[in-house]
Amino acid sequence: MKKVTVKASQSYEVIIEKGILSRAGELIAESFKPCGIMLITDSNVSPLYADKAKRSLEQNGFKVSTFVFPAGEESKNSDTLVKIWSALASVPLTRSDMIVALGGGVVGDVSGFAAATFLRGIKYIQIPTTLLAMVDSSVGGKTAIDLPEGKNLCGAFCQPSLVICDTDTLNTLPKREFSCGMAEVIKYGMIDRPIIFDLIKNGDIDDTVFECVSAKRDKVEEDEFDTGVRQLLNLGHTVGHAIERLANFSLSHGEAVAAGMAIITRYAVKEGLCPKEAENKLIEALNSFDLPINTEREPAELAKAALNDKKRRGNSITLVVPMGIGKSELIKKHPDELEEIIRLGY
Ligand SMILES: NC(=O)c1ccc[n+]([C@@H]2O[C@H](COP(=O)([O-])OP(=O)(O)OC[C@H]3O[C@@H](n4cnc5c(N)ncnc54)[C@H](O)[C@@H]3O)[C@@H](O)[C@H]2O)c1
């Protein structure tokens, strides 16, 4: 069993082990008294893993209700949130009870936001079942829903009380979803963990998840509310979010981030900030998981879409620019420069 402790405004453990889902109840019972639990999951994950999770929770004295919503980013909205609030209220759950989010980043983000807001805040536990959720969204306490105007526009910082990663659940993940998670894994390799490039070649998934979670832990502990070093985790995201939005979400988050990372890295190489070998290594890794390394969208429309993004602050934008493998920096640019930056990285 691998463990990472995250010491943010609330301390919690991320536990990583194959097959650990059947022991979820036991692990939760080690730190929490028997209470009511709303197990929230989606329509794909429910038939695969909800029974196993529920059984383990009930065997350890928890009283479990279940809420299942249709799988997909389209569900990460205010409708689903209101339905979850109503389900919590009709059990009813009290402030001594908790939510368990079983699923990918969509389940985790909306469940976390429900936990942050129901009764002004109840505890929640993440059991991520996608690679992306294990290495990224389940750790760090960012919760959110999307609005028609854009992704993740409403949310709250709210740290989970525990994260349980059963890497065996990745065996049922569609190949494309696994690759999307790999885009985020590769991102950590580019930011400051070059060893990740070796781990993914060796195919050791537990070590890979552990290394990524450790990398994320470092940023979250130093900058929980995302005003400084945590922004390094946005490598590839400025352009990636624009690609994702322009594709009307037909491209996944991970695919868009992959293309965004490739674009900003090619820009850095052209500007002489980053060695060409780093670009080659990144592209080779992205190619090995069939991830896109560019987009057909024009630089002008990408820049326009990116500048509508919430991460723009005043008259400057902060870009994460790779200086080599395992070495990225935050660089401030004037918004007017973005189109040319994208053009250079195209
Ligand atoms: N909170 C954060 O810090 C953070 C960070 C990155 C991304 N996100 C968010 O995460 C979301 C993307 O997460 P995601 O990629 O996990 O998407 P997702 O939750 O939609 O899961 C992808 C698909 O895989 C299915 N699935 C999940 N686990 C499965 C399993 N084990 N076997 C078979 N199918 C399975 C889901 O039902 C879904 O169809 C986005 O909304 C993004 O904004 C949040």
Side-chain angles (χ1 to χ4, degrees):
M1 181 187 290
K2 294 181 193 297
K3 274 190 193 176
V4 180
T5 304
V6 183
K7 294 189 187 113
S9 50
Q10 150 160 328
S11 268
Y12 55 96
E13 280 184 341
V14 182
I15 301 172
I16 304 151
E17 192 174 84
K18 291 184 172 49
I20 206 177
L21 180 62
S22 55
R23 289 181 45 219
E26 186 188 323
L27 291 167
I28 296 172
E30 281 174 14
S31 309
F32 303 95
K33 289 197 206 88
C35 63
I37 283 182
M38 179 63 79
L39 179 68
I40 303 180
T41 188
D42 74 22
S43 52
N44 290 336
V45 177
S46 176
L48 294 168
Y49 301 115
D51 279 352
K52 195 185 257 186
K54 191 166 184 249
R55 208 175 313 124
S56 170
L57 291 166
E58 287 176 344
Q59 278 166 359
N60 285 276
F62 296 99
K63 192 165 180 301
V64 185
S65 313
T66 307
F67 183 89
V68 183
F69 64 83
E73 185 72 33
E74 310 74 54
S75 287
K76 198 175 133 180
N77 58 28
S78 53
D79 274 2
T80 305
L81 181 64
V82 171
K83 284 181 184 145
I84 292 174
W85 282 335
S86 294
L88 298 172
S90 62
V91 175
L93 250 64
T94 70
R95 294 190 71 190
S96 345
D97 299 322
M98 60 168 103
I99 287 174
V100 170
L102 174 72
V106 167
V107 170
D109 276 16
V110 72
S111 304
F113 193 30
T117 44
F118 183 70
L119 301 178
R120 301 192 181 85
I122 62 171
K123 291 191 186 66
Y124 76 108
I125 287 172
Q126 296 266 21
I127 307 186
T129 61
T130 64
L131 182 57
L132 180 139
M134 288 183 194
V135 300
D136 195 355
S137 61
S138 66
V139 179
K142 280 191 185 177
T143 74
I145 56 165
D146 302 334
L147 296 184
E149 290 76 11
K151 276 191 54 145
N152 296 326
L153 288 181
C154 285
F157 285 97
C158 179
Q159 299 294 336
S161 297
L162 178 67
V163 183
I164 299 171
C165 302
D166 177 352
T167 45
D168 269 353
T169 60
L170 301 176
N171 295 337
T172 52
L173 197 62
K175 186 172 170 285
R176 184 176 173 201
E177 295 298 344
F178 186 80
S179 292
C180 294
M182 269 299 165
E184 301 287 351
V185 169
I186 293 165
K187 180 190 78 178
Y188 290 110
M190 289 301 286
I191 296 172
D192 60 6
R193 299 265 168 158
I195 190 179
I196 284 173
F197 285 90
D198 301 327
L199 294 176
I200 58 180
K201 266 197 180 153
N202 299 342
D204 190 324
I205 198 67
D206 285 16
D207 283 346
T208 302
V209 173
F210 175 80
E211 201 62 36
C212 294
V213 171
S214 305
K216 180 145 189 186
R217 183 262 327 268
D218 292 350
K219 315 290 174 301
V220 170
E221 286 186 348
E222 197 178 331
D223 174 28
E224 181 172 353
F225 297 105
D226 203 14
T227 55
V229 71
R230 186 169 177 174
Q231 291 175 46
L232 283 169
L233 300 174
N234 294 334
L235 173 61
H237 283 57
T238 303
V239 181
H241 279 157
I243 295 172
E244 198 176 4
R245 189 178 313 172
L246 289 171
N248 213 8
F249 301 111
S250 63
L251 272 186
S252 75
H253 178 73
E255 288 166 340
V257 166
M261 270 194 295
I263 288 172
I264 198 72
T265 304
R266 283 193 293 266
Y267 153 78
V269 171
K270 288 221 177 99
E271 286 289 277
L273 301 168
C274 177
K276 179 80 179 162
E277 302 82 70
E279 177 191 330
N280 294 343
K281 196 160 182 168
L282 170 69
I283 301 297
E284 185 197 354
L286 296 176
N287 279 338
S288 69
F289 292 100
D290 293 326
L291 287 161
I293 54 168
N294 216 331
T295 168
E296 284 167 6
R297 293 290 176 164
E298 289 298 317
E301 52 174 350
L302 287 168
K304 189 161 171 252
L307 292 172
N308 280 331
D309 195 75
K310 67 182 188 310
K311 291 196 173 67
R312 177 179 175 180
R313 291 201 173 115
N315 229 359
S316 72
I317 49 167
T318 304
L319 292 179
V320 189
V321 180
M323 303 288 160
I325 292 290
K327 194 168 173 290
S328 294
E329 288 182 14
L330 297 173
I331 297 187
K332 283 205 186 313
K333 290 282 178 188
H334 192 279
D336 291 348
E337 293 177 87
L338 186 59
E339 185 181 331
E340 185 55 20
I341 289 170
I342 296 173
R343 199 175 300 285
L344 283 169
Y346 212 54

